[in-house]
């Protein structure tokens, strides 16, 4: 990238010697969108098999062939009985949706931090402002990503009734209407807002602890991202179980045509599986989220470092 291109990305008043973390107000949102899209794609694709196992482990009434004692057992069983391709069921819709969704997420997050007065080159912590920026980023991301999650999780189910992405979309629209793609939206937000608040506040805190200078340090982003992702995932798993139930609409799980709403989903989980039902897939979710967050932040910060 030439100096003219760098100056365009960074803005005319930004010195080349500034720390890349200091994110000037006139930095183009396209920088954050480009870095975010790359981070989202790599995050989801790299850790996708863990996500498939997590979805299946959260099933309230799994078939005998899909009862897994843990993450490793689930991976091994799926490969042995269904082939390696089963670990990537639904990945096409995610590959198409993750890039734009994460571009919206990171661009909204960075611009919201500026709007709320967070200074990237300061050693101060801004937990309240960072949490507010996280809420804005979550709304942007989930509004786009929720239909993608519905299609993805229906294709990830054991013996999914859908042949492919198009078949899933068409049948869901015909049988349940377009609201099926947003039936879990309230639950998604109920999970995502606290998840992203914990995730982003923890990440920013860990990053400043590990690297007070604010200079680009790949190991800092890897460790801070992984730790923040694991912590946020552990806290919000009960809502993730409810979201999976609403997205997949397991047949005959509650004797009702369709489940709708977080409270109805929570009651159903408790009735069928008891308190431990809210921890279904916890190990798989943490195994997916921690490295996924580490990859996402590392890739995002790398591209941001290169582009700013």
């Amino acid at each position: 990238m030439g100096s003219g291109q760098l100056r365009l990305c960074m803005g005319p008043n930004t010195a080349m010697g500034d720390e890349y973390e200091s994110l000037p107000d006139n930095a183009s949102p396209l920088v954050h969108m480009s870095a975010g899209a790359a981070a989202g794609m790599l995050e989801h694709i790299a850790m996708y098999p863990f996500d498939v196992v997590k979805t299946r482990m959260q099933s309230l009434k799994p078939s005998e062939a899909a009862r897994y004692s843990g993450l490793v057992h689930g991976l091994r069983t799926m490969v042995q009985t269904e082939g390696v391709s089963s670990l990537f069921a639904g990945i096409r819709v995610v590959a198409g949706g993750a890039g734009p969704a994460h571009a919206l997420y990171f661009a909204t997050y960075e611009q919201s931090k500026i709007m709320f007065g967070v200074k990237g080159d300061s050693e101060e912590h801004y937990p309240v402002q960072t949490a507010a920026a996280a809420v804005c980023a979550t709304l942007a991301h989930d509004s786009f990503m929720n239909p993608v999650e519905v299609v993805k999780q229906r294709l990830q189910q054991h013996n999914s009734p859908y042949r492919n992405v198009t078949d899933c979309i068409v049948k869901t629209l015909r049988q349940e209407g377009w609201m099926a793609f947003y039936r879990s939206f309230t639950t998604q937000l109920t999970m995502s807002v606290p998840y992203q608040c914990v995730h982003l506040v923890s990440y920013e805190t860990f990053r400043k602890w590990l690297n007070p200078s604010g200079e680009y340090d790949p190991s800092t982003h890897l460790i801070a991202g992984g730790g923040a992702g694991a912590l946020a995932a552990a806290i919000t798993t009960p809502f993730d179980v409810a979201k999976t139930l609403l997205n997949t609409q397991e047949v005959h799980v509650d004797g009702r045509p369709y489940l709708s709403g977080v409270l109805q989903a929570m009651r159903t989980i408790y009735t069928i599986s008891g308190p431990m039902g809210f921890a279904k897939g916890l190990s798989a979710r943490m195994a997916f989220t921690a490295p996924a967050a580490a990859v996402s932040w590392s890739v995002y910060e790398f591209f941001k470092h290169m582009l700013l």
Side-chain angles (χ1 to χ4, degrees):
M1 179 180 289
S3 61
Q5 291 174 296
L6 272 174
R7 193 173 299 278
L8 178 63
C9 289
M10 297 173 66
N13 299 320
T14 304
M16 292 292 288
D18 286 350
E19 293 175 351
Y20 92 106
E21 296 280 9
S22 59
L23 299 175
D25 290 354
N26 56 357
S28 170
L30 289 175
V31 172
H32 307 303
M33 294 183 77
S34 300
M41 289 284 290
L42 287 173
E43 168 196 346
H44 281 278
I45 292 174
M47 305 308 301
Y48 195 79
F50 290 1
D51 189 43
V52 178
V53 175
K54 183 216 70 168
T55 294
R56 293 192 179 191
M57 289 181 69
Q58 289 179 339
S59 173
L60 297 185
K61 291 185 176 180
S63 64
E64 286 300 321
R67 292 183 183 274
Y68 311 132
S69 60
L71 174 63
V72 175
H73 178 242
L75 291 169
R76 184 171 61 247
T77 301
M78 288 178 66
V79 171
Q80 290 175 346
T81 61
E82 302 173 59
V84 175
S85 62
S86 65
L87 299 178
F88 298 93
I91 195 171
R92 290 183 180 180
V93 69
V94 173
H102 278 68
L104 280 172
Y105 174 82
F106 281 108
T108 303
Y109 174 59
E110 297 287 8
Q111 296 304 309
S112 296
K113 284 200 301 180
I114 294 171
M115 183 176 67
F116 292 129
V118 176
K119 299 177 181 178
D121 57 351
S122 172
E123 294 184 4
E124 294 182 50
H125 294 301
Y126 297 88
V128 176
Q129 293 91 331
T130 299
V135 173
C136 295
T138 299
L139 287 170
H141 175 275
D142 288 0
S143 296
F144 183 91
M145 198 66 178
N146 208 81
V148 175
E149 284 287 314
V150 173
V151 175
K152 178 198 77 172
Q153 291 198 300
R154 293 190 177 206
L155 290 169
Q156 287 176 339
Q157 289 180 288
H158 181 251
N159 287 333
S160 173
Y162 309 106
R163 296 191 305 274
N164 50 48
V165 172
T166 303
D167 183 53
C168 181
I169 293 172
V170 170
K171 286 183 177 177
T172 301
L173 280 172
R174 185 185 301 134
Q175 296 169 5
E176 304 174 46
W178 69 271
M179 279 302 295
F181 296 106
Y182 282 94
R183 190 180 284 123
S184 65
F185 187 57
T186 303
T187 307
Q188 178 73 31
L189 288 180
T190 305
M191 175 189 72
S192 292
V193 168
Y195 172 89
Q196 295 299 345
C197 286
V198 172
H199 183 184
L200 292 172
V201 171
S202 298
Y203 173 76
E204 297 289 358
T205 302
F206 294 160
R207 181 177 62 78
K208 287 184 181 292
W209 284 350
L210 294 168
N211 185 23
S213 68
E215 296 177 357
Y216 177 64
D217 178 27
S219 62
T220 292
H221 305 307
L222 194 70
I223 297 169
L231 178 62
I235 293 172
T236 58
T237 290
F239 293 108
D240 192 55
V241 179
K243 182 204 75 173
T244 297
L245 177 58
L246 290 170
N247 278 347
T248 59
Q249 293 291 321
E250 286 187 73
V251 180
H252 307 310
V253 78
D254 194 28
R256 310 184 192 195
Y258 301 110
L259 293 171
S260 61
V262 62
L263 294 179
Q264 191 177 99
M266 291 287 194
R267 282 197 299 269
T268 301
I269 293 167
Y270 184 81
T271 300
I272 294 176
S273 303
M276 291 305 296
F278 296 108
K280 278 180 171 288
L282 175 61
S283 61
R285 186 165 190 247
M286 291 185 69
F288 163 75
T289 305
V295 168
S296 180
W297 279 111
S298 297
V299 173
Y300 174 68
E301 298 286 6
F302 170 76
F303 277 96
K304 190 172 74 175
H305 172 63
M306 296 297 293
L307 294 172
L308 281 174

